[in-house]
Amino acid sequence: MNKGPGGLEIKGFIETSFLDWDGKIVSTLYVAGCNFRCPFCHNAGLIERPHEYETIPLERIENYLLAHKDFIDGICLTGGEPCLHKGRGLFEFMKRVKDKGFEIKLDSNGTDPECLKTALDQKLADYFAMDIKGPLDERYDGLSGVKTDLAGIKESVKTIRESGVPHEFRTTVLPTLLGEEEIAAIAGYLAGAEKFVLQQFAPDHAWDEKLRSVKPYEKPELERLARVARTHVPNVLIRGV
Ligand code: SF4
């Protein structure tokens, strides 16, 4: 088994990405497993059947970074949910990457505020990107696919918003469950955040097969939702259209 120290399982490694961190060139690392089951997720295999994917040796990743230090700015840790690996070598790996002079963007679904606080306290994250699946009420579970601890999500929002670390919150705009009222509710909750990103829903390969025939919003509709959100968070972007 090619596991890293403590069992950090990286299952996907995009050596060079221009898309995963605005303005940066990064290597993107996908960890195994997630505690959500978002119906629109594209990584079902990585979450339900991680054993079917090779575990990338951490040495290979670190060697690649060092060999391309001239143009790689850092890494994007995504998944899956990276914080599920906090007891399995996540922070140790992040520290080694930081010690080599690279920056780190940490993606998270926000279910583990303590994980984010540790990354913050140890100065391991240079950018946080946290998913906000829907309004922070009874509607959340339909978008996360599980019974969600909203107190934990709220604590993560507070931690990131007050961190002083560059960050974004992002919502995949699933037309069947998210419209103007929901986007306004999310943005209202995020008031004071640095950036709020509306991500286009991509039906192909959605975990819930019923969603594969759902038509994404047209760009003008997303732009209208962005204008609604901007009444609460001035910096709203649309991604994926
Ligand atoms: S939080 Fe992300 S990785 Fe996890 S199920 Fe949802 S979309 Fe997929």
Side-chain angles (χ1 to χ4, degrees):
M1 276 288 225
N2 287 321
K3 287 189 177 181
L8 173 59
E9 291 184 78
I10 306 286
K11 294 291 186 175
F13 175 30
I14 296 176
E15 292 179 344
T16 306
S17 168
F18 298 89
L19 300 175
D20 290 311
W21 188 348
D22 293 346
K24 305 267 185 192
I25 302 173
V26 295
S27 292
T28 299
L29 312 179
Y30 294 83
V31 305
C34 188
N35 50 351
F36 274 179
R37 293 290 181 272
C38 308
F40 48 81
C41 181
H42 289 171
N43 293 329
L46 198 65
I47 293 161
E48 289 207 309
R49 302 179 303 281
H51 53 279
E52 291 181 3
Y53 298 77
E54 178 202 7
T55 298
I56 317 284
L58 300 183
E59 302 73 33
R60 190 201 299 173
I61 296 165
E62 291 173 51
N63 288 341
Y64 179 85
L65 291 173
L66 286 174
H68 298 86
K69 202 168 182 179
D70 52 335
F71 71 93
I72 297 279
D73 296 309
I75 63 168
C76 171
L77 268 170
T78 189
E81 172 50 44
C83 282
L84 292 184
H85 296 253
K86 70 177 183 183
R88 305 184 210 155
L90 174 70
F91 299 130
E92 293 81 352
F93 174 66
M94 291 173 79
K95 182 161 190 327
R96 287 211 306 278
V97 170
K98 290 286 294 175
D99 286 347
K100 289 178 174 61
F102 295 95
E103 296 180 288
I104 298 179
K105 170 175 178 269
L106 181 62
D107 287 3
S108 177
N109 62 22
T111 48
D112 187 348
E114 295 310 315
C115 170
L116 303 178
K117 286 176 192 172
T118 302
L120 190 57
D121 291 347
Q122 297 188 16
K123 299 187 169 31
L124 296 175
D126 300 281
Y127 195 92
F128 289 111
M130 178 180 158
D131 300 338
I132 303 290
K133 303 297 180 184
L136 284 107
D137 56 27
E138 67 286 349
R139 288 171 280 188
Y140 214 90
D141 295 355
L143 289 142
S144 68
V146 299
K147 180 85 195 118
T148 307
D149 169 21
L150 290 178
I153 300 288
K154 290 175 181 175
E155 182 66 18
S156 290
V157 169
K158 183 170 183 291
T159 299
I160 290 175
R161 191 168 42 194
E162 296 174 1
S163 66
V165 172
H167 60 266
E168 69 183 44
F169 297 96
R170 56 199 189 177
T171 297
T172 298
V173 191
L174 179 60
T176 50
L177 293 177
L178 298 177
E180 178 175 337
E181 196 269 321
E182 288 78 15
I183 295 298
I186 297 169
Y189 190 81
L190 295 176
E194 201 171 277
K195 190 196 284 190
F196 179 34
V197 180
L198 299 180
Q199 299 187 142
Q200 176 64 302
F201 162 65
D204 296 346
H205 312 296
W207 197 333
D208 181 347
E209 291 182 13
K210 292 194 290 297
L211 293 183
R212 294 179 192 171
S213 56
V214 170
K215 199 167 170 295
Y217 283 127
E218 301 284 347
K219 191 173 179 190
E221 179 61 7
L222 286 177
E223 286 170 343
R224 192 181 70 80
L225 293 174
R227 284 195 295 278
V228 169
R230 275 187 203 109
T231 59
H232 302 283
V233 182
N235 188 13
V236 178
L237 305 182
I238 297 171
R239 198 174 279 153
V241 289

